[in-house]
Every structure is written in C-alpha cells, then in structure tokens.
Amino acid sequence: MSRHNEWILILDYGSQLTQLIARRLRELNIYCEIHPYNVDLAQVITPQPSGIILSGGPMSVNDDGAPQLQPEILEFKTPILGICYGLQLLSHNLNPGSVERAQKREYGRAHLLIDNGSDLLKDIPQESVVWMSHGDKIKDVDSNFVIIGHTKNAHVAAIKHRFKPIFGVQFHPEVVHTEFGTQLLSNFALDICGLVGDWTASSFIDEQTKAIQTIVGDNKVLCALSGGVDSTVVATLLNKALGEQLLCVFVNNGLLRKDEFSDVLRLYKEELHLPVKGIDASELFLDRLTGISDPEKKRKIIGKTFIDVFDKEVKNIDSFKYLAQGTLYPDVIESVSFKGPSATIKSHHNVGGLPDKMRLKLIEPVRELFKDEVRIVGRALGIPDLFIDRHPFPGPGLGIRVLGEVSREKLHILRESDAIFIQSLHESGLYNKIWQALAVLLPVKSVGVMGDERTYESTIALRAVTSTDGMTADWARLPYEFLAEVSNRIINEVNGVNRVVYDISSKPPATIEWE
C-alpha cells in the first residue's frame, strides 16, 4: 500500500469503531491507515506518520492477554491520541496500576466538562455531549499528565501530557453521538499534528497517475473488469495514465446478472471508450464450480479461473506484466487477521482469492479507498452516473448468492428474481436510496400452494442495506407495499420459487453478502 508524506497511523486494539476513526479523518481530507496494534512498526513508519491514534477495544488493560502498547511508540516524537482503551493503555504504561474496574460503568451519552484549555479541545464548548463505552476507569493520573476534561461518572475523561504531544480521551470522538467529535479529531490532525488536509479526489488522481506510470514503466497492464464501480474507476484511471499500454478484459463468468455482459460491454466501448475485450467463458467457470458448496472454495476457484482465462484468451499474454484489480480498503481490512477481536471475516476475491503462483503482478490503484471515496474519484474522472451509482457487486458474482452448490438452473432462478427486484427499485425511485440490494437463492425448499396444487419449491431472500462505505450497514426499511409487490412478481414470474423472505440483519453481526 502506498503511503503519503502526510498521514496518520491508526493502531487497532479490536474496537468495532476503529474504521469510523478512519472515516472521520478521510472526511477531513486526511489520509490514514489502520494496522493491528502488534504490527511490525519498521514496516509502517516509512515515511513516518504525522500522528498516531490508539483505538478503543473490548478488553481491560488488566486482563491476561490484553493487547499491549509497543513501548517504542512512546519514544517517537509523533503526536499520539489514545481513545477509550487507548487512553487507558497510555495511563497503564506510564503509571502502572492506575487503571481499575469502575464501580459504575459508563455507556451511552455523557456530558463532557472541560477543566483546562488545550489544543485538543479548541473550539469545543465548556460542556458538550460525548459517547462513552467503558467499564474501567483511571484512578490516578501520572504527574506528567493534566486532566483537561471530566464527566459526572469519570473524573478523567480527557488528558494531555505536560511536555509531550500525547493526549487521551475516555469517550469516542469518532461516533456521531459525540457532538464535537469531528472538531476534536480535526484539532488533533490539523493543529497538533500539523497536517494540511489536502488529500482530495483530484490530488489522489494526480498522485496515482504518476505512481502508476512510475511502477509500470513501459510494460503492459491487464485490467479485470467486473462491470461494477470499482473496476470501472480503476480502468478509467489506468487508461488516463497508460493509454495504449492498457488492455481491459471483461469476462462473462456465467455468474453475472441478467443481460449484464452485453449491456455493460457496449457501455464500456461506447460511453467510456475503454480498450476492452469481451470474453465469454461462462461454461468453463460453471463446469469448475460443479459440486462445490463451500464459499471459500468457490471464491478461490473463480479467482484461479479468471487467471486461466487471461492466459488462454489474451494474445501475447507474456507481454503483460501487471494485472489491475479494484480492491478496496474494506476488502483489505476484512481480509487481514488482527490478533484479538478484529479477526478475518472472509477472503475477498480481490485479496485472498487469487492463486499464489501468478504470472502477473498485481496493481491495485484504489486499494486505499473506501467505497464512497471511489465514487467521488469516479465522478472526478468524468465517469457517467450510470456507472458511479451502481450498487456494489461482488467479483464472484451470483456464485456467492446461490448458497451452496451452483448450477445453471439455480442461476437462472436467481438471475430472474434479482432482475425483478432491481428493476422494481429503479421504477419506484428507491434504487439510489439504497447502498446495496440483492437477491439470494437459499438452499431451502418449502411447501406452498399455487392454484389447487401443492408445490415444493425454492426460497428467495431479498436484501437491501443502507451504508456509507460498507464497513457497517443497516437493513433498509423498504415499504411493505413495495416488498409485497416484488414478492408477488417473483413468485408469479419465476418458475421454481414459491416463497420470498426479507433479510433484516445489520452489519455487524451479519455481513452484507450471505457468503
């Protein structure tokens, strides 16, 4: 992953809110990266970060096996901000025994009262609402620290070091419930760390264009197009940087949505003027997936088959050195196994699904972006809203939306059901209010009645979520009348379906996709 001259390192101690810290900083046009608390610092401090944030976490610093602070961090001259567990960790390291179980735990809203002035709390009222989530408290503050804020239940809610740029807060500034949380993070990043906040879509495009040209040189690049936002933005960015050195490949893997291969291929050529070759390899993919039920195996097979198709179908494959993909930052975060609570969720097709022995080196220009940032970059590149506003679609496609073994018959049922759902969302004006909508074919059959006949047919699950970047998501409250109409259409128009259900799970604990 490329780094910038100005950036903030976020060390993850297992909080479910760690990604929100990154999101808030990105909204301030500040580049940042999340790494596990025990990362090899030698690998991430070049160039040295302008600031370090220690995230919250679910454990007590006094627990056996609790995540610890690497002591050399305190030797850096870099400003440090500890949040919740991060604050307690700083206190525990500098003043052992100072953290203990609180008699009264503090969860939810609290009122922060500022005790002393500090750059960290600049432009924040003397009293404001903050969001707490802790069971421990700091009973004694090291003599080198000054208490700069408290709440009714926590006499230490914010501290600063007397001589070093080290700060800590017991509350979570990254959540929207903390009234002036963004102001606090801005104070830390812009004032204390001295960042400019100039990481914008335009600067990203200029930076990546130069980086791509430097990395690729005179070599050629293959770009795997999926028809979705991410790969389309990658292809457009590469086309801007490389021109004739680029060849885009759009493969029909037999797992695309209804009419997607022909429609998207035409748009790539006529709207975006990309150098693209369409390859229909659907039979090969489906043959290799026969009898495979495990979702991880399906992802691996699909990833390997893509590479095999490139080897076979692209003329002079040996003249290409790089394969470009639309890997996103959430893909990276979810595929990296952190010690502790932030464990691997799944291997993404763009991260863990490719063969170990690849003849092509990977180039991933949007690897450091969240989904909404990719859309912003896409618009800055002049990509039509038709592409930019498309819902996310996984690289393995319908292969991971047919739960269990994939077959042509199951794909047909799912494809037709999904088309009805998406078409209905467009017609009702709901599509652009949804982050992602999809249909899933469940490996469940149930009894039904159609006319005077008893049926025993398949179940379709509909899923629609709202989100900002896909890291967290809530199920969309679609109107009952709309769901009733979609259900009625699917059951009446798609042979093999007699039951439709709606998924009302949030992420976490569920994921957006079912596999």
Side-chain angles (χ1 to χ4, degrees), residues 86-211:
L87 161 68
Q88 296 168 4
L89 200 58
L90 288 171
S91 183
H92 179 70
N93 275 262
L94 296 170
N95 188 17
S98 62
V99 179
E100 66 178 12
R101 181 65 62 183
Q103 290 183 341
K104 185 175 182 180
R105 296 180 299 174
E106 196 170 24
Y107 293 98
R109 288 179 173 83
H111 289 272
L112 174 70
L113 298 171
I114 296 176
D115 297 309
N116 293 283
S118 166
D119 289 346
L120 185 68
L121 303 178
K122 186 185 75 171
D123 295 331
I124 295 177
Q126 198 276 330
E127 181 176 350
S128 63
V129 173
V130 296
W131 188 261
M132 290 286 195
S133 180
H134 65 100
D136 284 357
K137 70 175 184 179
I138 298 174
K139 63 177 180 178
D140 299 312
V141 176
D142 181 88
S143 60
N144 286 318
F145 280 92
V146 176
I147 298 174
I148 58 175
H150 73 279
T151 68
K152 181 179 179 180
N153 295 319
H155 81 283
V156 180
I159 62 173
K160 70 172 182 178
H161 198 282
R162 295 179 186 273
F163 312 110
K164 298 179 180 180
I166 300 177
F167 304 82
V169 293
Q170 185 60 73
F171 53 90
H172 288 274
E174 67 272 28
V175 303
V176 295
H177 307 297
T178 296
E179 284 183 314
F180 294 90
T182 299
Q183 181 64 50
L184 187 149
L185 292 173
S186 174
N187 291 341
F188 177 73
L190 301 181
D191 296 341
I192 295 170
C193 297
L195 298 179
V196 177
D198 60 356
W199 193 65
T200 63
S202 178
S203 67
F204 174 84
I205 292 169
D206 292 342
E207 177 185 274
Q208 284 301 314
T209 298
K210 295 174 184 176

Side-chain angles (χ1 to χ4, degrees), residues 166-453:
I166 300 177
F167 304 82
V169 293
Q170 185 60 73
F171 53 90
H172 288 274
E174 67 272 28
V175 303
V176 295
H177 307 297
T178 296
E179 284 183 314
F180 294 90
T182 299
Q183 181 64 50
L184 187 149
L185 292 173
S186 174
N187 291 341
F188 177 73
L190 301 181
D191 296 341
I192 295 170
C193 297
L195 298 179
V196 177
D198 60 356
W199 193 65
T200 63
S202 178
S203 67
F204 174 84
I205 292 169
D206 292 342
E207 177 185 274
Q208 284 301 314
T209 298
K210 295 174 184 176
I212 291 167
Q213 292 169 342
T214 299
I215 293 170
V216 173
D218 295 328
N219 295 296
K220 293 184 178 181
V221 178
L222 277 176
C223 180
L225 286 169
S226 69
V229 177
D230 310 331
S231 64
T232 300
V233 170
V234 167
T236 306
L237 184 59
L238 288 167
N239 196 32
K240 173 182 173 67
L242 302 174
E244 295 181 355
Q245 294 171 251
L246 172 69
L247 174 62
C248 298
V249 179
F250 184 33
V251 176
N252 182 4
N253 58 7
L255 306 170
L256 299 175
R257 289 167 288 199
K258 186 176 181 179
D259 298 328
E260 186 163 26
F261 183 62
S262 57
D263 291 347
V264 172
L265 187 60
R266 176 180 53 80
L267 289 169
Y268 276 145
K269 292 179 177 180
E270 297 178 8
E271 292 282 339
L272 299 179
H273 308 291
L274 294 176
V276 59
K277 177 178 181 179
I279 299 172
D280 188 350
S282 54
E283 293 302 313
L284 175 63
F285 278 87
L286 297 181
D287 287 344
R288 289 188 177 183
L289 288 170
T290 300
I292 305 300
S293 298
D294 181 80
E296 288 295 291
K297 289 182 180 179
K298 287 195 284 189
R299 289 175 182 272
K300 301 282 187 181
I301 289 171
I302 292 168
K304 182 181 185 304
T305 305
F306 269 119
I307 303 302
D308 292 344
V309 168
F310 292 152
D311 281 342
K312 179 182 178 181
E313 299 290 345
V314 177
K315 294 181 180 179
N316 302 316
I317 186 71
D318 292 333
S319 66
F320 292 88
K321 186 174 181 180
Y322 293 95
L323 172 67
Q325 289 191 152
T327 307
L328 300 188
Y329 200 35
D331 299 341
V332 177
I333 293 171
E334 288 190 350
S335 298
V336 173
S337 180
F338 292 1
K339 264 192 176 180
S342 297
T344 299
I345 297 172
K346 60 188 174 183
S347 67
H348 280 261
H349 67 283
N350 281 347
V351 180
L354 294 175
D356 293 331
K357 295 181 180 179
M358 282 183 57
R359 295 166 58 187
L360 302 170
K361 294 182 179 179
L362 280 180
I363 183 168
E364 300 168 310
V366 296
R367 184 183 175 93
E368 59 192 26
L369 299 184
F370 288 92
K371 188 78 175 190
D372 56 323
E373 294 172 329
V374 173
R375 287 194 167 104
I376 293 171
V377 168
R379 287 192 169 90
L381 286 167
I383 299 175
D385 288 344
L386 175 68
F387 273 98
I388 297 302
D389 292 334
R390 296 190 79 192
H391 289 178
F393 187 67
L398 301 183
I400 57 170
R401 292 180 180 175
V402 171
L403 303 195
E405 184 179 352
V406 176
S407 70
R408 289 163 178 79
E409 179 185 2
K410 291 178 181 178
L411 286 168
H412 174 75
I413 291 173
L414 177 58
R415 194 173 280 121
E416 294 298 320
S417 301
D418 181 79
I420 290 172
F421 187 28
I422 299 302
Q423 179 191 28
S424 299
L425 286 169
H426 278 293
E427 291 175 350
S428 64
L430 292 169
Y431 185 84
N432 288 336
K433 297 178 181 179
I434 303 297
W435 164 264
Q436 187 172 352
L438 59 139
V440 179
L441 180 63
L442 303 185
V444 174
K445 287 191 174 183
S446 63
V447 174
V449 177
M450 290 187 178
D452 295 325
E453 296 184 2

Side-chain angles (χ1 to χ4, degrees), residues 17-29:
L17 302 173
T18 300
Q19 289 80 17
L20 280 181
I21 302 172
R23 292 299 302 117
R24 297 294 171 259
L25 291 173
R26 295 285 184 91
E27 289 166 3
L28 294 168
N29 295 329

